[in-house]
Amino acid sequence: MTMLIMSANQARSYRTARFNSRARAMQSCLPTVPVRIVFMNEQYNAFHQRNECVFASYADADDKSLIGTYFQHALMNFSKLSISSQ
């Protein structure tokens, strides 16, 4: 499966995404609902041998709900819509 790698400028505009099934298979605790994402930087992914955007992922609108940091390939369904605070 070929993945289009987004630029850092594109990545900055996204606010939410979902973890893909492969990421959830490797870490079963990952949520199936959209998560809030914040672009951090671009790093070299040695496994895939390419530069990828890295995102901090949060369970909700609260910064205390950090799930972790993930390469772009672990996420899908990127959206520019924000998650509302609960």
Side-chain angles (χ1 to χ4, degrees), residues 1-49:
M1 181 173 122
T2 303
M3 171 185 256
L4 296 176
I5 302 302
M6 66 181 76
S7 70
N9 285 336
Q10 289 172 312
R12 284 183 183 90
S13 68
Y14 291 112
R15 302 289 173 250
T16 61
R18 289 179 181 262
F19 286 102
N20 62 33
S21 58
R22 186 172 182 185
R24 286 195 322 274
M26 294 174 73
Q27 263 188 299
S28 60
C29 62
L30 294 176
T32 58
V33 297
V35 296
R36 183 170 66 96
I37 58 171
V38 177
F39 171 75
M40 295 182 63
N41 58 24
E42 206 172 41
Q43 292 183 0
Y44 184 73
N45 183 329
F47 182 79
H48 292 285
Q49 298 181 346

Side-chain angles (χ1 to χ4, degrees), residues 21-86:
S21 58
R22 186 172 182 185
R24 286 195 322 274
M26 294 174 73
Q27 263 188 299
S28 60
C29 62
L30 294 176
T32 58
V33 297
V35 296
R36 183 170 66 96
I37 58 171
V38 177
F39 171 75
M40 295 182 63
N41 58 24
E42 206 172 41
Q43 292 183 0
Y44 184 73
N45 183 329
F47 182 79
H48 292 285
Q49 298 181 346
R50 63 184 177 210
N51 285 327
E52 279 189 54
C53 294
V54 176
F55 295 90
S57 301
Y58 299 87
D60 57 32
D62 184 2
D63 281 346
K64 296 177 195 169
S65 65
L66 178 68
I67 298 168
T69 56
Y70 296 89
F71 280 108
Q72 174 191 336
H73 76 271
L75 300 163
M76 64 181 193
N77 298 344
F78 290 88
S79 172
K80 296 180 181 181
L81 301 176
S82 297
I83 291 179
S84 60
S85 210
Q86 295 180 356

